[in-house]
Amino acid sequence: MSKPFDGTEFFQQLQHAIERARREADGCKNKVVALDDRLDELIGRKGETFVELAKHYLPEITKVAVENTYGEVRDELLDTLARKQRHESKLNDRIAEMEASRAKHELELAAVTQQLNASAEQRDQLEQELADRLQTNDQFQNQSRDAIRAEQELIRNKQRVEEIRREASEKLPAYENSPLFQYLYSRHFSTPDYSAIWPFRIFDGWVADFIGYRQTRQSYDFLRSTPELVDAAVERRQDELHLLLESVQKIEAEASREIGLDNVMLDGLRLGKERDELVRQLGQNHEQFVACQQEQIDLDRSQGKFYKQAIGRFKEVLEKTETAVLEQRAEKSADSSDDEIVAELKWIDDEIADIRIQLPIATDQHEEAEDRVSGLNYVVRRCRQSNFDSDRSYFTDDLNTSEAIDEYFNGELNQFKLLRKIRQHQQFHPTWSEKAAEKIGTTLESETSQAVMASVAAVAGSVLQSWLKSGGAVDNRNRKGPFTKGPGF
Amino acid sequence: MDETLRIMDVATALRQQREVVRSQLNLDQIKDQLRQQLRETADVSGEPLSREEIDAAVGNYFDNLHTFREPPRSMRLTMAYLYIRRGRVAAIIGVLLAVSLLVWWVCFR
């Protein structure tokens, strides 16, 4: 028999129970996750083992290897083999075509290169002859010298134009920002357009003398007009230079035509284009040839696409075949490797079957544990709503909380029965008004009657207190009641 | 006769423009000539001018050529400014006179 205990202690026990339930639920969840992971791993391993078995029976895609496989898939594998052989045949034909094309292009390239070399040699000879001719042509020599000189002069002139422009841009703002100069300039002073009357003519003259307008005006006009004038002159010189260069080129072109250099140049350009095109074709041909060769190598290797298709199909057939059948066939074969692979498959099947039995059980346990956590949370919520955690709340000595919680964990009690059991043993210490009522000997049976009596007592008490404080006046605002909906506070 | 004179004016203007262009595009030659003249003058006057001093003098001359600066602050400059802004000055004086007249009319008459 235990002692009575208060609401705070009771709630601590409930909190411990919730933590215990949470730990159990987490443990169940971890178990479910571990079983799931293991199942995924075994399924993946089973797939790999089937591929291993398929590769064991079909190490390469040849007629002999296909004959050693299962009858169910043999026709399909033979079909894949036939497609592979057809593809190889086409690939070989293409490679042969490309080799022939390359040989043809190589021959053409050699011929064109030979012609191009001859043309280049002829060009060099004729260029030498042209140079000799022009060397003795006085007109060409004079004009060439003039053109070179004019070009150098033109470069200097262009630099000078830039200098003049820069100088004007630096010096003109002083004129444009001077009110005195701008006044006289706007009145056209010292020009035929000047039309001021006496006495302004005298005063304007005085201002002009003061700033030296006549000289200044010339400088201003010079700075404004000179860049354009010089620039126009330089452009004219450039045009003259072009004409001179054209004349020089005309003499050279005429001499070139006379000795036949023009035709040789045209012929050389045509051959050059032809050669470039042949080189491009040969490069393209080579790239295609390398790609075909690579494809041929891939087909011969185990990673070839036809082999992958065959293994994939064979694996599907093996997956559909019973493990017992696989065992029988492995036993029949002389090699022991397939026995080992099939034994591993059988072990994986057993493991998967075992996990598929354990998994629903673990899932149910997890759900039950989560329900227990929810149930305890429900009990705590309801107890709080009923103010079982107040200082006035206490539990009678015949409630064994640990035992009740154990019964809940064992499934003997659900959350509703546990709550009912707690309610049965919970009580509140009487308020001072209830104690006063007891003193006046009032005996009330029902809870309602007790509550009404408590209110009456409270009103009476508060009236008494107010009356005493205010010297006899009654204040209804001092009436007190419970702080919460429940009776605990 | 007038027409002939006008044509002559145009021809003169064109010749002057040509000369300006020629002198600007041959500025280095002009500078060389100026240096030579300075050298000859210095030799005649017996002044010992170095090549660097002559170059600096020529450079300074061309840098300041066509440069404009207004005269320094003075009463004459102020008068010149007042003159060229005579319209605004007259307007301000007119307004001040009108206001003074109005005040006199309202307060003292």
Side-chain angles (χ1 to χ4, degrees):
Chain A
M1 186 64 92
S2 55
K3 291 178 184 175
F5 52 94
D6 61 17
T8 314
E9 190 183 339
F10 168 73
F11 265 85
Q12 277 178 356
Q13 287 178 326
L14 274 185
Q15 285 301 334
H16 289 150
I18 288 175
E19 284 166 17
R20 177 183 156 194
R22 184 76 263 160
R23 278 197 301 277
E24 282 184 16
D26 288 345
C28 291
K29 186 183 170 186
N30 291 340
K31 192 176 172 186
V32 170
V33 170
L35 285 170
D36 261 341
D37 290 348
R38 177 75 181 142
L39 187 63
D40 288 345
E41 185 198 331
L42 285 169
I43 289 168
R45 192 167 158 187
K46 190 177 174 184
E48 287 167 13
T49 312
F50 272 123
V51 171
E52 197 182 340
L53 188 63
K55 282 183 177 173
H56 174 78
Y57 288 130
L58 188 68
E60 57 184 356
I61 184 156
T62 58
K63 197 168 182 184
V64 178
V66 170
E67 291 297 339
N68 287 333
T69 58
Y70 293 3
E72 298 93 316
V73 75
R74 199 170 291 142
D75 289 343
E76 283 184 55
L77 295 181
L78 282 172
D79 184 48
T80 307
L81 177 63
R83 279 193 288 119
K84 184 198 170 201
Q85 285 169 342
R86 277 199 300 277
H87 191 77
E88 277 175 339
S89 172
K90 277 184 189 172
L91 207 57
N92 288 335
D93 290 348
R94 275 187 67 197
I95 287 171
E97 274 174 26
M98 275 186 264
E99 278 178 340
S101 170
R102 187 176 62 178
K104 185 186 157 209
H105 284 140
E106 291 277 7
L107 282 174
E108 285 174 2
L109 183 66
V112 169
T113 306
Q114 200 176 0
Q115 288 174 24
L116 202 58
N117 281 331
S119 188
E121 196 180 337
Q122 198 178 1
R123 179 199 61 201
D124 292 345
Q125 285 172 0
L126 289 173
E127 276 180 347
Q128 184 61 47
E129 192 182 334
L130 177 68
D132 294 342
R133 275 192 176 209
L134 292 175
Q135 195 75 36
T136 54
N137 186 326
D138 292 338
Q139 192 188 2
F140 178 83
Q141 290 296 321
N142 292 335
Q143 286 189 356
S144 296
R145 269 194 294 276
D146 291 346
I148 291 165
R149 206 178 300 120
E151 194 170 12
Q152 288 168 349
E153 186 69 19
L154 194 64
I155 292 166
R156 277 198 297 277
N157 290 165
K158 283 181 177 175
Q159 288 171 350
R160 180 63 195 139
V161 169
E162 287 303 314
E163 284 173 15
I164 292 168
R165 281 189 189 284
R166 194 169 56 248
E167 188 183 357
S169 67
E170 285 169 1
K171 291 179 177 175
L172 275 174
Y175 295 85
E176 281 155 4
N177 297 330
S178 167
L180 298 175
F181 179 82
Q182 287 300 318
Y183 165 77
L184 294 170
Y185 187 78
S186 64
R187 289 170 73 85
H188 307 289
F189 185 79
S190 84
T191 66
D193 297 333
Y194 179 62
S195 59
I197 56 165
W198 186 89
F200 298 112
R201 276 183 172 271
I202 294 171
F203 289 124
D204 287 352
W206 175 74
V207 173
D209 290 343
F210 181 48
I211 64 167
Y213 179 75
R214 288 168 189 85
Q215 178 63 36
T216 306
R217 166 74 192 242
Q218 282 178 7
S219 293
Y220 182 64
D221 289 341
F222 173 85
L223 289 171
R224 286 187 62 182
S225 62
T226 308
E228 303 304 323
L229 282 175
V230 178
D231 198 22
V234 169
E235 274 185 23
R236 275 197 305 277
R237 287 186 180 186
Q238 184 145 20
D239 293 342
E240 286 167 12
L241 176 65
H242 280 157
L243 287 174
L244 193 58
L245 285 172
E246 277 175 14
S247 174
V248 171
Q249 282 169 351
K250 199 175 169 187
I251 295 168
E252 188 184 348
E254 210 169 304
S256 174
R257 195 165 49 249
E258 278 172 15
I259 61 174
L261 180 58
D262 280 6
N263 292 334
V264 172
M265 289 299 289
L266 286 173
D267 199 36
L269 286 171
R270 181 185 57 76
L271 286 169
K273 273 187 188 172
E274 208 173 315
R275 188 177 184 280
D276 289 344
E277 177 60 20
L278 280 170
V279 169
R280 191 190 64 76
Q281 282 179 357
L282 269 170
Q284 200 177 347
N285 187 291
H286 178 70
E287 280 173 18
Q288 288 173 352
F289 182 75
V290 169
C292 285
Q293 271 188 331
Q294 187 59 46
E295 199 176 343
Q296 205 173 31
I297 292 165
D298 287 346
L299 281 176
D300 291 339
R301 279 158 55 181
S302 61
Q303 289 83 5
K305 65 176 181 180
F306 291 102
Y307 182 70
K308 279 183 185 167
Q309 283 174 11
I311 288 294
R313 182 66 197 120
F314 193 21
K315 182 194 158 203
E316 284 172 17
V317 171
L318 290 174
E319 280 173 339
K320 287 175 189 165
T321 311
E322 294 285 336
T323 312
V325 177
L326 292 176
E327 276 181 315
Q328 284 172 9
R329 292 192 178 175
E331 277 170 15
K332 281 181 190 170
S333 71
D335 193 358
S336 64
S337 303
D338 52 348
D339 293 300
E340 287 169 14
I341 297 168
V342 173
E344 189 180 348
L345 273 174
K346 190 169 182 307
W347 175 79
I348 291 168
D349 276 345
D350 292 346
E351 285 283 306
I352 288 172
D354 192 31
I355 288 170
R356 283 194 169 137
I357 292 166
Q358 289 176 35
L359 196 58
I361 297 166
T363 308
D364 290 346
Q365 284 172 348
H366 179 223
E367 284 173 5
E368 282 170 15
E370 289 290 347
D371 288 346
R372 271 199 295 281
V373 175
S374 303
L376 279 173
N377 280 325
Y378 168 78
V379 170
V380 168
R381 247 187 350 266
R382 293 308 303 266
C383 287
R384 281 201 176 118
Q385 283 170 358
S386 303
N387 301 154
F388 289 181
D389 50 347
S390 77
D391 284 345
R392 284 182 49 236
S393 171
Y394 72 97
F395 293 88
T396 55
D397 52 3
D398 53 346
L399 173 64
N400 188 336
T401 316
S402 305
E403 195 180 296
I405 287 169
D406 284 342
E407 282 172 3
Y408 174 73
F409 272 97
N410 294 337
E412 293 166 26
L413 290 177
N414 61 18
Q415 65 264 41
F416 305 110
K417 285 181 181 170
L418 178 63
L419 186 61
R420 192 159 60 238
K421 193 168 186 176
I422 290 166
R423 279 187 191 286
Q424 282 168 358
H425 295 89
Q426 191 275 338
Q427 286 187 6
F428 288 106
H429 293 297
T431 60
W432 67 272
S433 55
E434 286 167 344
K435 285 176 188 167
E438 278 174 14
K439 276 181 188 171
I440 60 172
T442 308
T443 308
L444 297 167
E445 292 296 329
S446 70
E447 283 184 7
T448 313
S449 303
Q450 283 174 359
V452 170
M453 187 57 219
S455 299
V456 170
V459 171
S462 63
V463 166
L464 187 63
Q465 280 177 341
S466 300
W467 183 75
L468 286 170
K469 282 179 185 170
S470 62
V474 175
D475 186 357
N476 284 337
R477 284 175 299 178
N478 288 336
R479 292 180 64 176
K480 302 288 191 297
F483 289 139
T484 61
K485 286 180 182 174
F489 298 96
Chain B
M1 187 63 183
D2 287 349
E3 193 67 23
T4 310
L5 285 174
R6 234 187 336 268
I7 292 167
M8 279 300 289
D9 285 346
V10 171
T12 306
L14 286 171
R15 182 183 55 75
Q16 284 172 345
Q17 283 182 359
R18 237 185 357 261
E19 281 172 7
V20 166
V21 169
R22 194 183 304 120
S23 65
Q24 286 302 312
L25 291 178
N26 298 309
L27 196 67
D28 291 339
Q29 288 175 12
I30 291 169
K31 282 182 179 177
D32 287 343
Q33 284 172 7
L34 193 59
R35 281 192 199 97
Q36 185 62 32
Q37 283 171 7
L38 281 173
R39 166 59 54 205
E40 285 168 4
T41 309
D43 289 346
V44 169
S45 62
E47 196 174 347
L49 278 178
S50 68
R51 185 193 173 100
E52 287 75 25
E53 285 166 341
I54 290 173
D55 286 349
V58 170
N60 189 46
Y61 169 74
F62 278 101
D63 286 345
N64 289 321
L65 197 63
H66 305 303
T67 304
F68 173 71
R69 284 188 200 89
E70 276 199 351
R73 286 172 184 274
S74 62
M75 179 56 84
R76 201 176 170 192
L77 183 70
T78 310
M79 295 302 290
Y81 272 132
L82 285 173
Y83 167 67
I84 65 168
R85 289 162 184 161
R86 58 188 175 275
R88 265 182 284 174
V89 171
I92 291 167
I93 290 170
V95 169
L96 286 174
L97 273 176
V99 170
S100 304
L101 205 64
L102 192 68
V103 169
W104 177 79
W105 183 267
V106 172
C107 299
F108 302 107
R109 197 161 186 287

